[in-house]
Amino acid sequence: MNENIYSDNFDENWDIYDKALRKIGIRKRREVLEDGEFHLVVGVFLFDKDGNVLLQKRSMTKLNNPGQWQESAGGSVLSGETAVNAIQRELEEELGLTTKFSQEDCFFQNINKDWITIWFSKELDFDIKNLVIQELEVDKIVLLKIEDAINYLKSSKLKNILVEASRNI
């Protein structure tokens, strides 16, 4: 794989977990995980005061899901971070938004091939015009009614997670 064509940082360290979320090691992002090893990923669906949801279209330079519409913000949990710390960092990096999260904002987690995603939802008072997107990671953002947002999401798994997120706010 030619790492130079992606905006992802392949030198970042990830804590590695087993399926029960017990930490079992640390690896560089570029290292292949063994069966039964997982790194943590966080994602958040942000809702405005009117119940609209913010989606982002990922940059074409991202390794995973380039050019696809996804959750408001998200990414990998770095070594030493908690999921709450990571979602706060990702939100600030990708959208320029600073807010506090707690474990109560977490509503779901799902296990994938070699990562576990911890999902958050949050209602915030924000103006989309004031958000500052990180162009290396985010191509564009939109604020949509839930029904319209579901049509933007190609992944049926993400559609189901969005529906669950909307019930959580």
Side-chain angles (χ1 to χ4, degrees):
M1 169 176 52
N2 182 358
E3 294 177 5
N4 297 326
I5 64 172
Y6 300 107
S7 59
D8 303 83
N9 178 1
F10 291 91
D11 284 322
E12 63 190 17
N13 288 318
W14 291 343
D15 290 335
I16 304 304
Y17 297 85
D18 64 15
K19 212 175 208 176
L21 292 178
R22 290 181 296 245
K23 183 178 171 184
I24 57 174
I26 297 175
R27 296 269 176 82
K28 291 256 186 244
R29 179 181 188 139
R30 71 172 45 89
E31 296 178 57
V32 176
L33 300 183
E34 302 292 326
D35 287 342
E37 293 182 335
F38 302 89
H39 74 277
L40 297 183
V41 174
V42 290
V44 64
F45 284 104
L46 291 180
F47 296 86
D48 70 5
K49 296 294 182 189
D50 297 321
N52 298 308
V53 64
L54 182 75
L55 297 182
Q56 69 161 266
K57 185 175 183 186
R58 289 173 61 88
S59 164
M60 290 302 291
T61 62
K62 294 299 290 176
L63 174 64
N64 297 308
N65 307 313
Q68 289 190 19
W69 287 99
Q70 301 227 274
E71 65 271 11
S72 308
S76 295
V77 178
L78 301 178
S79 182
E81 280 186 318
T82 65
V84 168
N85 296 142
I87 200 60
Q88 291 172 172
R89 175 183 50 78
E90 290 289 350
L91 190 61
E92 186 168 6
E93 286 176 4
E94 294 180 8
L95 301 175
L97 266 175
T98 304
T99 192
K100 293 285 184 195
F101 282 82
S102 70
Q103 203 57 45
E104 287 79 43
D105 298 314
C106 176
F107 69 94
F108 183 69
Q109 70 182 31
N110 63 310
I111 299 173
N112 300 282
K113 178 181 173 269
D114 59 4
W115 75 95
I116 298 171
T117 306
I118 300 173
W119 289 99
F120 294 83
S121 64
K122 188 124 178 128
E123 182 181 292
L124 290 176
D125 186 15
F126 66 92
D127 185 340
I128 191 170
K129 293 180 290 224
N130 294 334
L131 300 181
V132 180
I133 64 171
Q134 181 186 40
E135 294 177 3
L136 283 176
E137 295 203 23
V138 181
D139 184 38
K140 60 177 82 166
I141 54 176
V142 293
L143 192 59
L144 300 166
K145 294 181 189 230
I146 298 289
E147 303 78 30
D148 296 328
I150 288 170
N151 292 328
Y152 268 64
L153 299 173
K154 288 186 178 182
S155 160
S156 60
K157 185 187 298 183
L158 267 182
K159 290 176 184 182
N160 293 337
I161 292 170
L162 171 58
V163 169
E164 192 63 34
S166 68
R167 292 182 185 136
N168 196 55
I169 60 164

